[in-house]
Amino acid sequence: MKLILLSGGSGNRLWPLSNSSRSKQFLKVLRNKDKQVESMVQRIWSQIKSSGLADDTFISTSSTQVDILQSQIGSNIPLIVEPVRRDTFPAIALAAVYLNSKMKVPLNEMICVLPVDSFVEDSFFLRIKEMETSLSQSGADLALIGTPPSYPSEKYGYIIPNENKEGETNNLFRTVKRFVEKPDEELAKQLIQENALWNCGVFAFTLGYMTSILKEKGMPIQYEELVKQYDKLPMISFDYEVVENVNRAVVLSYNSSWKDLGTWNTLTEEMDLHLLGRGIISNSINTHIINELDIPVIALGLLDIVVACSPDGILISEKAMSSKLKDVMKNIKQRPMYEERRWGSYKVLDYTVNENKEEVLTKKIKVLSGKNLSYQFHQQRKEIWSITAGEGIFVLDGNFVHVGPGDNLMIPFASKHAIKAITDLEFIEVQLGSNLIEEDIVRIFMTWEEIEQNLSN
Protein backbone atom coordinates (compact mmCIF):
# COMPACT_ATOMS: atom_id res chain seq x y z
CA MET A 1 0.00 0.00 0.00
CA LYS A 2 1.18 3.51 -0.90
CA LEU A 3 -0.08 6.52 1.01
CA ILE A 4 -0.58 9.94 -0.63
CA LEU A 5 -0.98 12.96 1.63
CA LEU A 6 -2.73 15.90 -0.04
CA SER A 7 -1.26 19.22 1.05
CA GLY A 8 -2.98 22.21 -0.52
CA GLY A 9 -5.27 25.09 0.29
CA SER A 10 -4.87 28.85 0.30
CA GLY A 11 -5.57 29.41 3.96
CA ASN A 12 -8.31 32.07 4.05
CA ARG A 13 -10.34 30.32 6.75
CA LEU A 14 -7.57 30.84 9.31
CA TRP A 15 -6.44 34.30 8.21
CA PRO A 16 -4.36 36.20 9.20
CA LEU A 17 -1.98 33.44 10.30
CA SER A 18 -2.60 31.45 7.13
CA ASN A 19 -2.07 32.79 3.63
CA SER A 20 -1.33 31.53 0.10
CA SER A 21 2.08 30.23 1.21
CA ARG A 22 1.28 29.11 4.75
CA SER A 23 -1.97 27.13 4.76
CA LYS A 24 -3.69 25.98 7.93
CA GLN A 25 -1.75 22.71 8.17
CA PHE A 26 1.48 24.66 8.83
CA LEU A 27 0.30 26.76 11.78
CA LYS A 28 2.18 25.80 14.95
CA VAL A 29 -0.67 26.13 17.44
CA LEU A 30 -1.11 22.56 18.74
CA ARG A 31 0.88 20.83 21.46
CA ASN A 32 2.26 17.29 21.18
CA LYS A 33 2.71 14.69 23.92
CA ASP A 34 5.94 16.41 24.99
CA LYS A 35 4.10 19.76 25.33
CA GLN A 36 6.01 21.18 22.34
CA VAL A 37 4.12 23.39 19.88
CA GLU A 38 3.60 21.74 16.50
CA SER A 39 1.58 22.12 13.31
CA MET A 40 -1.08 19.80 11.89
CA VAL A 41 1.33 18.47 9.26
CA GLN A 42 3.96 17.75 11.91
CA ARG A 43 1.33 15.97 14.00
CA ILE A 44 0.07 13.72 11.21
CA TRP A 45 3.59 12.96 9.99
CA SER A 46 4.52 11.83 13.51
CA GLN A 47 1.44 9.56 13.53
CA ILE A 48 2.33 8.11 10.14
CA LYS A 49 5.85 7.30 11.35
CA SER A 50 4.48 5.68 14.52
CA SER A 51 2.12 3.52 12.45
CA GLY A 52 4.96 2.25 10.24
CA LEU A 53 3.64 3.85 7.04
CA ALA A 54 6.28 6.57 6.52
CA ASP A 55 8.45 4.62 4.06
CA ASP A 56 5.49 4.22 1.69
CA THR A 57 4.17 7.78 1.97
CA PHE A 58 4.32 10.56 -0.63
CA ILE A 59 3.10 14.14 -0.29
CA SER A 60 1.25 15.83 -3.15
CA THR A 61 1.66 19.58 -2.91
CA SER A 62 2.09 22.85 -4.82
CA SER A 63 5.43 24.50 -5.54
CA THR A 64 4.67 27.30 -3.05
CA GLN A 65 4.52 24.80 -0.16
CA VAL A 66 7.72 22.85 -0.86
CA ASP A 67 9.95 25.02 1.32
CA ILE A 68 7.66 25.06 4.34
CA LEU A 69 7.07 21.28 4.13
CA GLN A 70 10.81 20.67 4.10
CA SER A 71 11.27 23.12 6.95
CA GLN A 72 8.69 21.42 9.16
CA ILE A 73 9.09 17.68 8.45
CA GLY A 74 12.42 17.33 6.68
CA SER A 75 13.93 17.45 3.20
CA ASN A 76 13.94 13.67 2.62
CA ILE A 77 10.17 13.21 2.30
CA PRO A 78 9.22 12.33 -1.32
CA LEU A 79 7.15 15.14 -2.83
CA ILE A 80 4.93 15.13 -5.92
CA VAL A 81 4.72 18.78 -6.93
CA GLU A 82 1.86 20.21 -8.98
CA PRO A 83 3.09 22.54 -11.76
CA VAL A 84 0.12 24.82 -10.95
CA ARG A 85 -2.65 24.62 -8.37
CA ARG A 86 -5.76 22.79 -9.55
CA ASP A 87 -8.04 20.67 -7.30
CA THR A 88 -8.03 17.25 -5.66
CA PHE A 89 -8.88 15.22 -8.78
CA PRO A 90 -5.95 16.55 -10.86
CA ALA A 91 -3.63 16.28 -7.83
CA ILE A 92 -4.56 12.63 -7.21
CA ALA A 93 -4.32 11.87 -10.94
CA LEU A 94 -0.81 13.36 -11.06
CA ALA A 95 0.25 11.38 -7.98
CA ALA A 96 -1.12 8.12 -9.41
CA VAL A 97 0.66 8.63 -12.74
CA TYR A 98 3.89 9.51 -10.90
CA LEU A 99 3.74 6.30 -8.85
CA ASN A 100 3.10 4.18 -11.93
CA SER A 101 5.39 5.71 -14.56
CA LYS A 102 8.22 7.06 -12.36
CA MET A 103 8.23 4.76 -9.31
CA LYS A 104 7.08 1.63 -11.24
CA VAL A 105 4.41 0.80 -8.64
CA PRO A 106 2.34 -2.13 -10.03
CA LEU A 107 -1.25 -1.52 -11.10
CA ASN A 108 -2.66 -3.98 -8.55
CA GLU A 109 -1.18 -2.08 -5.58
CA MET A 110 -3.58 -0.18 -3.34
CA ILE A 111 -3.26 3.59 -3.10
CA CYS A 112 -4.71 5.44 -0.11
CA VAL A 113 -5.24 9.21 -0.25
CA LEU A 114 -5.90 11.39 2.78
CA PRO A 115 -5.70 15.11 3.66
CA VAL A 116 -2.57 16.27 5.42
CA ASP A 117 -4.61 18.25 7.97
CA SER A 118 -6.79 15.46 9.39
CA PHE A 119 -7.01 15.74 13.18
CA VAL A 120 -7.39 12.14 14.33
CA GLU A 121 -6.29 9.67 16.98
CA ASP A 122 -3.52 7.13 16.29
CA SER A 123 -6.18 4.41 15.87
CA PHE A 124 -7.24 6.10 12.62
CA PHE A 125 -4.18 4.66 10.89
CA LEU A 126 -5.08 1.13 11.96
CA ARG A 127 -8.35 1.69 10.11
CA ILE A 128 -6.42 2.86 7.05
CA LYS A 129 -4.45 -0.39 7.03
CA GLU A 130 -7.76 -2.29 7.00
CA MET A 131 -8.87 -0.56 3.79
CA GLU A 132 -6.71 -2.87 1.70
CA THR A 133 -8.47 -5.95 3.13
CA SER A 134 -11.85 -4.28 2.59
CA LEU A 135 -11.13 -3.65 -1.09
CA SER A 136 -9.96 -7.18 -1.77
CA GLN A 137 -12.80 -8.86 0.18
CA SER A 138 -15.57 -6.71 -1.30
CA GLY A 139 -14.37 -6.46 -4.88
CA ALA A 140 -15.24 -2.76 -4.72
CA ASP A 141 -13.60 -0.05 -6.82
CA LEU A 142 -13.30 2.37 -3.93
CA ALA A 143 -13.05 2.26 -0.15
CA LEU A 144 -13.70 5.23 2.13
CA ILE A 145 -13.66 6.06 5.82
CA GLY A 146 -16.66 7.73 7.45
CA THR A 147 -17.33 8.88 10.99
CA PRO A 148 -20.68 9.31 12.82
CA PRO A 149 -21.80 12.99 12.62
CA SER A 150 -21.75 15.12 15.76
CA TYR A 151 -24.33 17.57 14.36
CA PRO A 152 -26.05 18.33 11.01
CA SER A 153 -23.12 20.11 9.36
CA GLU A 154 -23.29 21.81 5.96
CA LYS A 155 -19.49 21.70 5.56
CA TYR A 156 -18.98 17.97 5.01
CA GLY A 157 -19.91 15.32 2.49
CA TYR A 158 -22.11 12.45 3.70
CA ILE A 159 -21.85 8.72 2.99
CA ILE A 160 -25.09 6.73 3.27
CA PRO A 161 -24.24 3.05 3.77
CA ASN A 162 -26.46 0.05 3.08
CA GLU A 163 -27.52 -1.92 6.13
CA ASN A 164 -26.10 -5.41 6.37
CA LYS A 165 -28.47 -8.00 4.97
CA GLU A 166 -30.03 -10.52 7.35
CA GLY A 167 -27.45 -13.06 8.39
CA GLU A 168 -24.46 -10.91 7.39
CA THR A 169 -21.97 -10.31 10.19
CA ASN A 170 -19.33 -8.24 8.39
CA ASN A 171 -18.08 -5.67 10.89
CA LEU A 172 -15.18 -4.44 8.78
CA PHE A 173 -17.07 -2.48 6.11
CA ARG A 174 -20.48 -1.79 4.58
CA THR A 175 -21.42 -1.17 0.97
CA VAL A 176 -22.35 2.39 0.01
CA LYS A 177 -25.88 3.30 -1.09
CA ARG A 178 -25.15 6.88 -2.16
CA PHE A 179 -23.20 10.07 -1.49
CA VAL A 180 -24.43 13.59 -0.75
CA GLU A 181 -21.94 16.45 -0.94
CA LYS A 182 -22.38 19.34 1.55
CA PRO A 183 -26.18 19.36 2.03
CA ASP A 184 -28.11 22.13 3.73
CA GLU A 185 -28.94 21.70 7.41
CA GLU A 186 -32.42 20.22 6.88
CA LEU A 187 -31.17 17.58 4.47
CA ALA A 188 -28.24 16.84 6.79
CA LYS A 189 -30.73 16.08 9.59
CA GLN A 190 -32.54 13.62 7.32
CA LEU A 191 -29.27 11.94 6.33
CA ILE A 192 -28.32 11.47 9.96
CA GLN A 193 -31.64 9.66 10.45
CA GLU A 194 -30.50 7.29 7.68
CA ASN A 195 -27.32 6.53 9.69
CA ALA A 196 -25.20 8.57 7.29
CA LEU A 197 -21.52 9.14 8.04
CA TRP A 198 -19.36 12.20 7.53
CA ASN A 199 -16.91 11.65 4.70
CA CYS A 200 -13.40 11.87 6.23
CA GLY A 201 -11.84 12.56 2.83
CA VAL A 202 -9.91 9.27 2.75
CA PHE A 203 -10.05 7.25 -0.48
CA ALA A 204 -8.48 3.88 -1.29
CA PHE A 205 -8.33 2.25 -4.74
CA THR A 206 -5.97 0.19 -6.83
CA LEU A 207 -3.55 2.07 -9.03
CA GLY A 208 -5.08 0.26 -12.01
CA TYR A 209 -8.54 1.66 -11.22
CA MET A 210 -7.28 5.24 -11.29
CA THR A 211 -5.27 4.61 -14.46
CA SER A 212 -8.38 3.23 -16.20
CA ILE A 213 -10.32 6.40 -15.31
CA LEU A 214 -7.59 8.56 -16.85
CA LYS A 215 -7.60 6.49 -20.03
CA GLU A 216 -11.39 6.81 -20.31
CA LYS A 217 -11.06 10.58 -20.04
CA GLY A 218 -8.30 10.71 -22.66
CA MET A 219 -5.72 11.89 -20.14
CA PRO A 220 -2.02 10.90 -20.38
CA ILE A 221 -0.77 8.11 -18.12
CA GLN A 222 2.89 9.08 -18.57
CA TYR A 223 4.10 11.53 -15.94
CA GLU A 224 5.97 13.96 -18.23
CA GLU A 225 3.00 14.22 -20.60
CA LEU A 226 0.51 14.82 -17.80
CA VAL A 227 2.75 17.57 -16.38
CA LYS A 228 2.76 19.33 -19.77
CA GLN A 229 -1.05 19.29 -19.90
CA TYR A 230 -1.65 19.90 -16.21
CA ASP A 231 -2.70 23.54 -16.48
CA LYS A 232 -5.46 22.50 -18.91
CA LEU A 233 -7.00 19.88 -16.59
CA PRO A 234 -10.44 20.71 -15.11
CA MET A 235 -10.46 22.23 -11.63
CA ILE A 236 -12.73 19.65 -10.01
CA SER A 237 -12.65 17.69 -6.76
CA PHE A 238 -12.08 13.95 -6.54
CA ASP A 239 -15.46 13.67 -4.80
CA TYR A 240 -17.37 15.13 -7.75
CA GLU A 241 -15.29 13.56 -10.53
CA VAL A 242 -14.81 10.04 -9.14
CA VAL A 243 -16.56 9.28 -5.84
CA GLU A 244 -20.07 10.27 -6.91
CA ASN A 245 -19.74 8.24 -10.14
CA VAL A 246 -18.23 5.05 -8.72
CA ASN A 247 -20.11 1.79 -9.36
CA ARG A 248 -19.08 -0.13 -6.25
CA ALA A 249 -17.88 1.44 -3.02
CA VAL A 250 -17.50 0.38 0.60
CA VAL A 251 -17.11 2.43 3.74
CA LEU A 252 -15.28 1.68 6.97
CA SER A 253 -16.68 3.40 10.05
CA TYR A 254 -14.27 5.23 12.35
CA ASN A 255 -15.89 5.82 15.73
CA SER A 256 -13.14 7.73 17.56
CA SER A 257 -12.38 11.45 17.45
CA TRP A 258 -12.16 13.03 13.97
CA LYS A 259 -12.15 16.74 13.23
CA ASP A 260 -11.58 19.12 10.38
CA LEU A 261 -9.78 22.03 12.04
CA GLY A 262 -10.76 24.38 9.24
CA THR A 263 -12.05 27.36 11.23
CA TRP A 264 -10.84 29.26 14.27
CA ASN A 265 -13.82 27.85 16.17
CA THR A 266 -12.83 24.20 15.64
CA LEU A 267 -9.08 24.85 15.86
CA THR A 268 -9.22 26.59 19.24
CA GLU A 269 -11.20 23.64 20.63
CA GLU A 270 -8.03 21.55 20.27
CA MET A 271 -5.62 24.20 21.59
CA ASP A 272 -4.73 23.61 25.23
CA LEU A 273 -3.01 27.01 25.35
CA HIS A 274 -5.28 30.05 25.38
CA LEU A 275 -2.39 32.45 24.80
CA LEU A 276 0.32 32.05 22.17
CA GLY A 277 2.70 34.99 21.84
CA ARG A 278 2.83 38.30 23.73
CA GLY A 279 -0.37 39.24 25.52
CA ILE A 280 -2.66 38.99 28.54
CA ILE A 281 -6.14 37.47 28.86
CA SER A 282 -8.02 38.81 31.89
CA ASN A 283 -11.57 38.23 33.14
CA SER A 284 -12.45 36.43 29.91
CA ILE A 285 -14.11 33.08 29.16
CA ASN A 286 -13.26 30.72 26.29
CA THR A 287 -11.09 33.39 24.66
CA HIS A 288 -7.89 32.77 22.71
CA ILE A 289 -5.08 35.07 21.61
CA ILE A 290 -2.66 33.88 18.93
CA ASN A 291 -0.15 36.68 18.42
CA GLU A 292 2.84 36.59 16.05
CA LEU A 293 3.56 40.31 16.35
CA ASP A 294 6.21 41.87 18.59
CA ILE A 295 3.64 44.01 20.42
CA PRO A 296 1.40 42.87 23.32
CA VAL A 297 -2.31 42.18 22.85
CA ILE A 298 -4.62 42.55 25.85
CA ALA A 299 -8.09 40.92 26.10
CA LEU A 300 -10.39 42.13 28.89
CA GLY A 301 -13.87 40.84 29.71
CA LEU A 302 -14.41 38.83 26.50
CA LEU A 303 -16.58 35.76 25.90
CA ASP A 304 -16.03 33.20 23.13
CA ILE A 305 -13.64 35.43 21.18
CA VAL A 306 -10.55 34.62 19.09
CA VAL A 307 -7.90 37.28 18.48
CA ALA A 308 -5.31 36.34 15.84
CA CYS A 309 -2.47 38.69 14.90
CA SER A 310 0.24 38.32 12.26
CA PRO A 311 2.14 40.55 9.81
CA ASP A 312 -0.75 39.88 7.38
CA GLY A 313 -3.37 41.51 9.62
CA ILE A 314 -5.46 41.26 12.80
CA LEU A 315 -8.66 39.27 13.31
CA ILE A 316 -11.12 39.75 16.18
CA SER A 317 -14.08 37.41 15.89
CA GLU A 318 -16.77 35.62 17.80
CA LYS A 319 -15.78 31.97 17.48
CA ALA A 320 -19.22 31.02 16.17
CA MET A 321 -18.84 33.57 13.35
CA SER A 322 -15.32 32.53 12.29
CA SER A 323 -16.68 30.15 9.62
CA LYS A 324 -17.78 33.27 7.66
CA LEU A 325 -14.20 34.51 7.36
CA LYS A 326 -13.56 33.00 3.92
CA ASP A 327 -16.46 34.96 2.44
CA VAL A 328 -15.27 38.19 4.06
CA MET A 329 -11.74 37.70 2.68
CA LYS A 330 -12.84 37.38 -0.97
CA ASN A 331 -12.22 41.06 -1.67
CA ILE A 332 -8.91 41.34 0.18
CA LYS A 333 -5.86 40.70 -1.99
CA GLN A 334 -2.28 41.09 -0.74
CA ARG A 335 1.05 39.35 -0.88
CA PRO A 336 1.98 37.10 2.07
CA MET A 337 3.74 39.17 4.72
CA TYR A 338 5.28 36.16 6.47
CA GLU A 339 6.65 32.94 5.02
CA GLU A 340 8.51 29.90 6.30
CA ARG A 341 11.20 28.51 4.02
CA ARG A 342 13.47 25.46 4.06
CA TRP A 343 16.26 27.70 5.41
CA GLY A 344 14.25 29.71 7.96
CA SER A 345 11.67 32.48 7.59
CA TYR A 346 11.07 36.08 6.57
CA LYS A 347 8.70 38.87 7.59
CA VAL A 348 7.79 41.87 5.43
CA LEU A 349 8.33 45.07 7.41
CA ASP A 350 7.46 47.76 4.86
CA TYR A 351 6.58 48.40 1.22
CA THR A 352 6.67 51.79 -0.51
CA VAL A 353 7.26 53.42 -3.90
CA ASN A 354 9.95 56.14 -3.77
CA GLU A 355 10.13 59.46 -5.63
CA ASN A 356 11.95 57.77 -8.53
CA LYS A 357 9.02 55.36 -8.99
CA GLU A 358 11.13 52.52 -7.63
CA GLU A 359 9.48 49.92 -5.43
CA VAL A 360 11.13 49.52 -2.02
CA LEU A 361 10.47 46.35 0.01
CA THR A 362 11.97 45.79 3.46
CA LYS A 363 12.16 42.34 5.03
CA LYS A 364 13.50 40.83 8.23
CA ILE A 365 15.12 37.51 7.33
CA LYS A 366 16.18 34.69 9.64
CA VAL A 367 18.46 31.90 8.39
CA LEU A 368 18.79 28.93 10.75
CA SER A 369 22.21 27.69 11.80
CA GLY A 370 23.74 25.46 9.12
CA LYS A 371 21.18 26.49 6.47
CA ASN A 372 21.80 28.64 3.41
CA LEU A 373 20.08 30.72 0.77
CA SER A 374 20.67 29.49 -2.78
CA TYR A 375 23.33 30.99 -5.06
CA GLN A 376 21.10 33.22 -7.16
CA PHE A 377 20.67 36.53 -8.97
CA HIS A 378 17.89 39.00 -9.80
CA GLN A 379 17.22 40.87 -13.03
CA GLN A 380 14.82 43.52 -11.72
CA ARG A 381 16.18 44.53 -8.34
CA LYS A 382 19.23 45.35 -6.27
CA GLU A 383 19.47 44.58 -2.56
CA ILE A 384 21.09 45.87 0.62
CA TRP A 385 21.57 43.44 3.52
CA SER A 386 22.30 44.68 7.08
CA ILE A 387 23.39 41.91 9.45
CA THR A 388 21.78 42.36 12.89
CA ALA A 389 22.55 39.08 14.68
CA GLY A 390 24.58 35.90 14.24
CA GLU A 391 27.48 34.96 11.99
CA GLY A 392 27.65 33.68 8.45
CA ILE A 393 29.56 33.30 5.20
CA PHE A 394 28.50 35.57 2.33
CA VAL A 395 29.44 35.02 -1.29
CA LEU A 396 29.11 37.67 -4.03
CA ASP A 397 30.09 36.82 -7.60
CA GLY A 398 32.37 34.04 -6.41
CA ASN A 399 34.06 35.93 -3.54
CA PHE A 400 33.56 34.57 0.01
CA VAL A 401 33.62 36.74 3.14
CA HIS A 402 32.82 36.19 6.83
CA VAL A 403 29.99 38.46 8.08
CA GLY A 404 28.52 39.42 11.44
CA PRO A 405 26.45 42.10 13.22
CA GLY A 406 26.95 45.60 11.77
CA ASP A 407 28.06 44.44 8.31
CA ASN A 408 26.27 46.00 5.33
CA LEU A 409 26.27 44.06 2.06
CA MET A 410 25.51 45.66 -1.32
CA ILE A 411 24.13 43.36 -4.04
CA PRO A 412 23.88 45.07 -7.47
CA PHE A 413 21.49 44.05 -10.26
CA ALA A 414 22.29 40.59 -11.72
CA SER A 415 25.04 39.88 -9.15
CA LYS A 416 25.22 36.27 -8.04
CA HIS A 417 25.02 35.87 -4.28
CA ALA A 418 24.29 33.51 -1.37
CA ILE A 419 24.72 33.30 2.39
CA LYS A 420 25.17 30.49 4.91
CA ALA A 421 24.42 30.81 8.63
CA ILE A 422 27.19 29.64 10.96
CA THR A 423 24.90 30.48 13.89
CA ASP A 424 21.26 31.60 13.64
CA LEU A 425 21.59 34.61 11.39
CA GLU A 426 19.29 37.63 11.13
CA PHE A 427 19.48 40.53 8.70
CA ILE A 428 17.36 43.32 7.26
CA GLU A 429 16.98 43.11 3.50
CA VAL A 430 16.00 46.18 1.46
CA GLN A 431 14.99 45.48 -2.14
CA LEU A 432 14.89 48.30 -4.72
CA GLY A 433 13.64 47.73 -8.25
CA SER A 434 10.98 47.99 -10.90
CA ASN A 435 9.08 44.80 -10.05
CA LEU A 436 9.64 43.23 -6.63
CA ILE A 437 8.24 39.72 -7.02
CA GLU A 438 9.43 36.35 -5.72
CA GLU A 439 9.57 35.07 -9.31
CA ASP A 440 12.54 37.39 -10.01
CA ILE A 441 14.97 34.79 -8.71
CA VAL A 442 17.30 32.74 -10.92
CA ARG A 443 18.77 29.96 -8.79
CA ILE A 444 22.13 28.50 -9.83
CA PHE A 445 23.11 26.22 -6.93
CA MET A 446 20.86 25.16 -4.05
CA THR A 447 23.20 23.52 -1.50
CA TRP A 448 26.27 25.06 0.10
CA GLU A 449 28.29 22.04 -0.96
CA GLU A 450 27.45 22.81 -4.62
CA ILE A 451 28.36 26.46 -4.10
CA GLU A 452 31.75 25.70 -2.55
CA GLN A 453 32.61 22.99 -5.04
CA ASN A 454 31.74 24.96 -8.16
CA LEU A 455 33.02 28.38 -7.09
CA SER A 456 36.30 27.10 -5.69
CA ASN A 457 36.94 25.39 -9.03
Side-chain angles (χ1 to χ4, degrees):
M1 179 178 72
K2 302 299 182 188
L3 200 63
I4 299 172
L5 287 177
L6 294 181
S7 179
S10 60
N12 282 345
R13 292 185 186 278
L14 292 175
W15 185 89
L17 267 64
S18 59
N19 53 42
S20 59
S21 296
R22 183 174 59 154
S23 300
K24 64 179 180 179
Q25 60 265 32
F26 302 115
L27 304 183
K28 294 181 180 178
V29 295
L30 304 172
R31 286 211 293 184
N32 60 22
K33 296 173 183 177
D34 298 323
K35 301 301 180 183
Q36 300 296 313
V37 179
E38 66 178 1
S39 67
M40 300 179 208
V41 70
Q42 289 173 320
R43 184 178 190 273
I44 200 168
W45 186 250
S46 175
Q47 291 175 309
I48 286 172
K49 288 197 296 184
S50 298
S51 64
L53 294 170
D55 291 342
D56 292 305
T57 298
F58 299 78
I59 300 181
S60 171
T61 189
S62 63
S63 57
T64 58
Q65 293 186 359
V66 170
D67 272 10
I68 192 169
L69 274 167
Q70 292 180 338
S71 171
Q72 292 200 358
I73 59 176
S75 57
N76 58 343
I77 289 62
L79 303 179
I80 304 169
V81 182
E82 291 182 277
V84 293
R85 276 184 175 170
R86 304 308 284 167
D87 207 326
T88 53
F89 172 68
I92 293 171
L94 184 70
V97 169
Y98 177 87
L99 292 179
N100 183 227
S101 66
K102 301 291 284 187
M103 302 302 296
K104 306 303 179 186
V105 174
L107 293 176
N108 63 353
E109 183 146 354
M110 192 190 89
I111 309 300
C112 181
V113 181
L114 74 154
V116 76
D117 53 0
S118 297
F119 190 85
V120 293
E121 304 297 330
D122 293 348
S123 58
F124 189 79
F125 295 92
L126 298 177
R127 210 66 173 138
I128 283 178
K129 291 178 179 179
E130 293 173 334
M131 297 181 84
E132 188 167 21
T133 303
S134 301
L135 269 184
S136 60
Q137 286 185 2
S138 65
D141 298 316
L142 191 68
L144 305 95
I145 292 181
T147 190
S150 305
Y151 59 96
S153 172
E154 302 177 27
K155 296 190 305 177
Y156 305 131
Y158 287 72
I159 304 169
I160 299 89
N162 287 306
E163 297 299 328
N164 285 333
K165 295 178 182 178
E166 188 175 349
E168 287 184 344
T169 58
N170 180 15
N171 295 319
L172 184 57
F173 62 84
R174 284 183 287 170
T175 59
V176 174
K177 181 189 298 184
R178 60 193 174 99
F179 300 94
V180 177
E181 187 65 14
K182 297 180 181 177
D184 59 34
E185 185 175 345
E186 285 305 312
L187 179 54
K189 290 178 180 178
Q190 295 176 29
L191 295 174
I192 291 174
Q193 293 299 315
E194 296 182 51
N195 297 317
L197 302 169
W198 278 343
N199 187 348
C200 296
V202 180
F203 316 108
F205 46 82
T206 64
L207 188 54
Y209 174 69
M210 190 65 191
T211 302
S212 68
I213 290 176
L214 301 184
K215 288 180 178 178
E216 288 174 9
K217 296 181 180 297
M219 296 169 61
I221 58 170
Q222 295 300 316
Y223 179 72
E224 288 78 8
E225 287 302 312
L226 188 57
V227 168
K228 289 178 184 177
Q229 299 182 29
Y230 198 77
D231 61 343
K232 299 180 178 65
L233 298 184
M235 294 186 69
I236 190 168
S237 72
F238 189 81
D239 296 85
Y240 285 123
E241 187 73 358
V242 176
V243 175
E244 294 191 358
N245 298 309
V246 69
N247 292 321
R248 298 169 299 167
V250 295
V251 60
L252 291 76
S253 181
Y254 176 69
N255 298 321
S256 296
S257 176
W258 175 87
K259 276 191 177 182
D260 174 13
L261 305 185
T263 65
W264 281 114
N265 193 17
T266 55
L267 180 57
T268 52
E269 287 176 355
E270 300 302 330
M271 290 175 56
D272 58 358
L273 290 172
H274 283 258
L275 173 65
L276 279 174
R278 293 187 65 188
I280 297 172
I281 301 174
S282 178
N283 296 313
S284 298
I285 298 173
N286 193 29
T287 291
H288 284 77
I289 294 176
I290 304 94
N291 182 18
E292 293 186 337
L293 303 179
D294 295 326
I295 55 176
V297 175
I298 312 299
L300 293 174
L302 300 181
L303 172 65
D304 296 331
I305 298 294
V306 58
V307 181
C309 311
S310 86
D312 280 15
I314 296 173
L315 168 73
I316 304 169
S317 172
E318 274 191 282
K319 291 184 177 180
M321 291 295 294
S322 63
S323 62
K324 308 294 184 183
L325 182 58
K326 186 175 183 178
D327 295 330
V328 175
M329 291 295 299
K330 285 179 180 178
N331 297 320
I332 297 181
K333 305 292 182 186
Q334 67 177 47
R335 61 168 295 150
M337 304 294 281
Y338 173 87
E339 289 194 42
E340 281 188 45
R341 295 296 182 88
R342 57 179 177 79
W343 40 260
S345 62
Y346 77 76
K347 181 193 302 183
V348 175
L349 302 179
D350 186 50
Y351 171 79
T352 59
V353 178
N354 66 22
E355 58 188 15
N356 298 319
K357 306 302 181 184
E358 275 188 320
E359 296 181 36
V360 183
L361 182 68
T362 306
K363 294 181 178 180
K364 182 178 182 179
I365 295 177
K366 182 173 183 178
V367 185
L368 299 175
S369 176
K371 303 289 186 178
N372 69 276
L373 304 188
S374 63
Y375 193 55
Q376 61 191 30
F377 65 91
H378 313 289
Q379 298 283 17
Q380 302 180 71
R381 70 177 185 247
K382 59 184 177 181
E383 296 178 350
I384 304 166
W385 293 1
S386 298
I387 310 298
T388 57
E391 296 182 62
I393 302 172
F394 175 67
V395 56
L396 180 67
D397 291 329
N399 298 309
F400 292 80
V401 62
H402 183 277
V403 295
D407 288 331
N408 292 300
L409 311 171
M410 308 295 294
I411 304 170
F413 288 98
S415 289
K416 304 176 184 70
H417 59 282
I419 196 166
K420 178 183 179 180
I422 298 173
T423 62
D424 284 353
L425 184 69
E426 294 184 5
F427 58 93
I428 302 299
E429 175 186 271
V430 180
Q431 302 177 6
L432 300 97
S434 58
N435 191 17
L436 303 183
I437 56 175
E438 290 300 308
E439 289 74 20
D440 181 30
I441 299 176
V442 180
R443 292 185 172 88
I444 304 170
F445 306 119
M446 292 296 293
T447 68
W448 197 254
E449 290 74 17
E450 289 178 303
I451 295 171
E452 287 187 323
Q453 181 180 359
N454 285 277
L455 298 189
S456 61
N457 289 338

